[in-house]
């Protein structure tokens, strides 16, 4: 326990001081942290999943409060909670299936018996989702009777059954943690390799002699473009610098090193050049449930220009960036204002700070937002590790990865 | 435009000079034109031997857009109105024969032979830049590093360039004078000195020789930095004046009247026009407004200061962009006068736009289809303002209006120094420091931008506040005749 405390507070510190760059890094670190927490969490014998969920929620609340703009942290917390619930569900169904000789319903035929290893979360998710479908009346009635029968049978069982049940429970507890950690490992693996699955789709979208525009820098975009280059497509790239961090320069250097024709332009020249561009490909900081994008600053301008010239605006995002929340006033609430020194040199403008209005407020204010909100109607396509999607479809993907109970991480005070 | 023929076509050489100064074209049949062209070519061959370097260059570009010329068939160079070499004009004669629509006889930089010939006659040593962007092959781009020192060292060799013009050219090259109004005024003052110091050599008339001298000065200035549209208009006005001033005046009288006319032009078209525009525009500023402005425009600054003197309560948002970061100087000047300002960079304009009530922009020129030709980035600002339903007001003197039309920013533009893009102020070890060595990498520094007319709500000129659709009316009524109103 003390170990995890130290780890958690260390991570919280880093989040508060904004030392973690990028949603991919934040997601990976969060997942690893939660994995450590889970493995060290001591679980009671009964209702383990609830205890685990409670512990993770408590930590998750702290994490999201440390950096509310880094939505990937909250995403991963909710993913882990969802994983716990699903693993629990799969174990429950498996154990029920083991005790009961008959299948409960046609849908649960594919659930294995208890002595066999539990299925992966995906199959369980499919099963769980199947239970989410409105069940047929017959199966409902059968369910009730069968579950009643189970309880009866389990409670009326003799010592042998009790023993098996307790061993079942022990093995179940070990299994829950084990399964959850396995699945979290898969999640970390997915985060690490999201670039590759996205880059595989590059060939479908980039053809010969295309001109592509991008702004700032994104690891996903680099891999995407280079994958198309590997497949011998020749195209050229316009890179807008992305003030005030000028990450476009590093992107351009990287692309040139890999052999792509690159031209660096200033952000102000985007409207001028976009008439000659075939496609705009950018990365995202986060994708909201309505299909809107929280992107590095300047991309709303690019999206508007692309809409004006009917140029497709393609956003590359790993699934870990998909946030189940809907944005409200995102320009202000999901934004961060960075230091003015990136725009104005303090030394040169220190004399301007001396002037003030009568009320004492300074005459000079500097605004340096870090993110932009791109509404879903400006986005043509999302390319994720699961394929290409419309912005209007993104809300459906949430059901795959998140549970409805987890959307609010704050613990309500129990009455 | 094909040919503007003088009435007396037997004087072919004269026709050559006055080819483009006549505002109206006379329709001639193709056979007639071809015959005349042959004759002209013969005359030119003789004229070449005479060795006048600058005098034979076609003086001005077409002041009038021909009705059948609709498309920009060939991609032409920047908005200079004086063609520096007659060879360009000659070649365009040949090519024009093949096409019905006639392009302006401006320098075609993507034609290698012409570039070679221009280089031989140019004063400023230009080495073409490496790593040129393909799509801008038709615009000149030269290495900036050595130009200034090179030109400075040539001072005593340039006898056909007046020292005043030389000084102005140097300052253009060094970037000391940047805005189109100041450039225009500086150039006209230099020309005034040229006229004052001018004395007609024997056997030549004032008008033609002075025109030749002005042409040579203009070509020198173009080599330093391509002309802005306002400067082109001013040059055209000056040449028309010179043409008119020939008769019945002694040389000294003519010179004096020319100088006073130049002064009147500067006064009426620039200084007084600015005052009228300020008075119009200030009526659009109300208490509680949040005004957004982009970069640095002297006219917008004057408007804001005047409104502040009138005790209107408003605040200003200044949007700035690379590579010049000119908004910072405007910010400083406004703060010193006591306006409350917010400063941001162009990427953050979506963030600030939701609290802005009006956008005030300046322009380098307004083209006939209502598009605004101005500093790069203006189109982005206008677009975002349009998306947030914020009115955009453009303030521009009428002498900057031009009959040209343009659809995008690529057909005609100016390419700045690409090195300033790789150097970010305040950073060591920029990743692109050795960009010239990588052949796949190009840096593009556009100077101008084209804002479509539907993003602009209103244009304030000294003739009043007009919608962008009325720009060709102003051009037709007030800018065609080179009279001072």
């Amino acid at each position: 326990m003390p170990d995890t405390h130290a780890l958690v507070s260390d991570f919280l510190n880093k989040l508060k001081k904004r030392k973690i760059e990028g949603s991919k890094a934040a997601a990976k670190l969060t997942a690893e942290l939660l994995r450590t927490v889970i493995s060290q969490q001591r679980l009671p014998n009964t209702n383990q999943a609830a205890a685990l969920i409670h512990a993770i929620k408590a930590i998750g609340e702290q994490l999201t409060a440390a950096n509310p703009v880094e939505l990937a942290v909250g995403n991963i917390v909710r993913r882990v909670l969802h994983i716990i619930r699903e693993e629990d569900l799969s174990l429950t169904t498996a154990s029920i299936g083991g005790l009961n000789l008959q299948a409960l319903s046609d849908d649960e035929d594919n659930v294995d018996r208890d002595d066999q290893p539990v299925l992966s979360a995906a199959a369980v998710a499919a099963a769980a989702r199947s239970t989410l479908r409105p069940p047929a009346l017959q199966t409902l009635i059968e369910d009730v009777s069968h579950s009643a029968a189970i309880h009866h049978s389990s409670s009326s069982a003799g010592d042998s059954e009790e023993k098996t049940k307790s061993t079942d429970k022990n093995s179940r507890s070990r299994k829950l943690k084990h399964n959850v950690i396995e699945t979290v490992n898969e999640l970390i693996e997915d985060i690490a390799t999201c670039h590759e699955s996205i880059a595989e789709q590059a060939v479908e979208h980039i053809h010969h002699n295309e001109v592509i525009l991008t702004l700032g820098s994104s690891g996903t975009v680099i891999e995407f473009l280079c994958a198309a280059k590997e497949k011998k497509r020749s195209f050229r790239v316009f890179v807008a610098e992305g003030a005030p961090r000028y990450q476009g320069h590093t992107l351009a250097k990287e692309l040139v090193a890999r052999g792509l024709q690159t031209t660096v332009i200033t952000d102000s020249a985007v409207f001028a050049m976009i008439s000659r561009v075939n496609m705009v490909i950018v990365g995202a900081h986060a994708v909201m449930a309505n299909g809107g994008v929280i992107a590095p600053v300047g991309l709303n301008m690019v999206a508007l220009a692309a809409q004006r010239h009917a140029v497709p605006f393609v956003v590359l995002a790993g699934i870990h960036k998909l946030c189940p929340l809907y944005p409200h006033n995102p320009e202000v609430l999901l934004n961060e204002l960075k230091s003015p020194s990136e725009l104005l040199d303090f030394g040169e403008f220190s004399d301007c700070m001396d002037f003030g209005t009568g009320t004492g407020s300074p005459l000079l204010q500097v605004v340096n937002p870090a993110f932009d909100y791109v509404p879903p109607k400006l986005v043509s396509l999302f390319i994720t590790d699961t394929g290409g999607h419309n912005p209007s479809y993104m809300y459906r993907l949430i059901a795959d990865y998140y549970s409805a109970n987890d959307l609010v991480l704050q613990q309500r005070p129990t009455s | 435009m094909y040919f503007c023929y003088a009435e007396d076509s037997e004087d072919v050489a004269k026709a050559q000079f006055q080819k483009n100064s006549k505002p109206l074209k006379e329709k001639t049949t193709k056979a007639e034109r071809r015959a005349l062209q042959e004759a002209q070519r013969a005359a030119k061959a003789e004229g070449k031997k005479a060795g006048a370097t600058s005098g034979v260059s076609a003086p001005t570009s077409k002041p009038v857009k021909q009705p059948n010329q609709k498309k920009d068939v060939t991609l032409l160079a920047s908005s200079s109105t004086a063609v520096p070499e007659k060879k360009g004009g000659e070649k365009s004669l040949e090519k024009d024969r093949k096409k019905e629509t006639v392009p302006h006889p401006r320098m075609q930089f993507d034609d290698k032979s012409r570039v070679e010939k221009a280089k031989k006659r140019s004063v400023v040593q230009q080495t073409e830049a490496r790593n040129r962007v393909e799509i801008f092959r038709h615009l000149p781009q030269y290495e900036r590093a050595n130009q200034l020192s090179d030109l400075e060292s040539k001072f005593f060799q340039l006898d056909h360039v007046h020292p005043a013009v030389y000084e102005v050219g140097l300052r253009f090259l060094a970037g000391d004078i940047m805005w189109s109004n100041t450039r225009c005024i500086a150039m006209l003052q230099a020309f005034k000195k040229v006229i004052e110091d001018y004395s007609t050599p024997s056997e030549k008339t004032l008008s033609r020789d002075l025109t030749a001298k002005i042409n040579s000065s203009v070509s020198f200035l173009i080599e330093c930095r391509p002309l802005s549209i306002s400067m082109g208009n001013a040059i055209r006005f000056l040449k028309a004046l010179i043409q008119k001033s020939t008769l019945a005046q002694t040389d000294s009288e003519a010179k004096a009247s020319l100088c006073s006319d130049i002064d009147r032009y500067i006064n009426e078209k620039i200084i007084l026009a600015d005052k009228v525009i300020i008075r119009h525009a200030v009526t659009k500023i109300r208490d509680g407004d949040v005004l957004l402005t982009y970069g640095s425009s002297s006219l917008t600054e004057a408007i804001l200061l005047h409104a502040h003197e009138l005790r209107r309560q408003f605040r200003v948002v200044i949007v700035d962009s690379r590579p010049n970061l000119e908004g910072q100087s405007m910010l400083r000047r406004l703060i010193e006068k006591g306006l409350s300002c917010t400063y941001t960079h162009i990427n953050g304009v979506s963030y600030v736009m939701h609290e802005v009530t009006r956008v005030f922009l300046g322009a380098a020129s307004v083209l006939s289809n209502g598009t605004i030709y101005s500093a790069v980035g203006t189109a982005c600002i206008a677009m975002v303002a349009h998306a947030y339903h914020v009115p955009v007001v453009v303030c521009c003197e009428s002498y900057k209006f031009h009959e040209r039309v343009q659809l995008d920013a690529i057909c005609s533009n100016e390419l700045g120094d690409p090195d300033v893009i790789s150097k970010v102020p305040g950073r060591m070890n920029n990743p692109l420091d050795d960009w010239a060595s990588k052949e796949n990498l190009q840096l593009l520094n556009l100077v101008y931008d084209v804002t479509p007319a539907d993003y602009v709500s209103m244009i304030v000129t000294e003739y009043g506040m007009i919608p962008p659709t009325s720009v060709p009316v102003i051009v037709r009524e007030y800018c065609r005749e080179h009279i001072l109103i």
Side-chain angles (χ1 to χ4, degrees), chain A residues 241 264 308 348 363 365, chain B residues 322 332 341 343 408 442 454:
Chain A
E241 322 180 281
V264 177
R308 159 84 181 200
E348 281 175 24
L363 283 182
Q365 297 178 353
Chain B
R322 284 242 296 153
R332 185 183 291 277
C341 300
Y343 178 82
D408 62 18
Q442 292 114 26
D454 46 336

Side-chain angles (χ1 to χ4, degrees), chain B residues 29-41:
Chain B
T29 65
K30 239 184 176 169
E32 273 184 278
R33 279 179 268 160
R34 211 163 284 180
L36 267 155
Q37 194 186 344
E38 303 297 331
Q40 275 183 359
R41 224 179 285 142

Side-chain angles (χ1 to χ4, degrees), chain A residues 90 93-95 97-98 108-119:
Chain A
S90 80
T93 52
S95 64
E108 299 191 23
D109 258 346
N110 50 3
V111 175
D112 274 335
R113 299 289 173 248
D114 198 20
D115 44 2
Q116 290 181 352
V118 182
L119 293 175

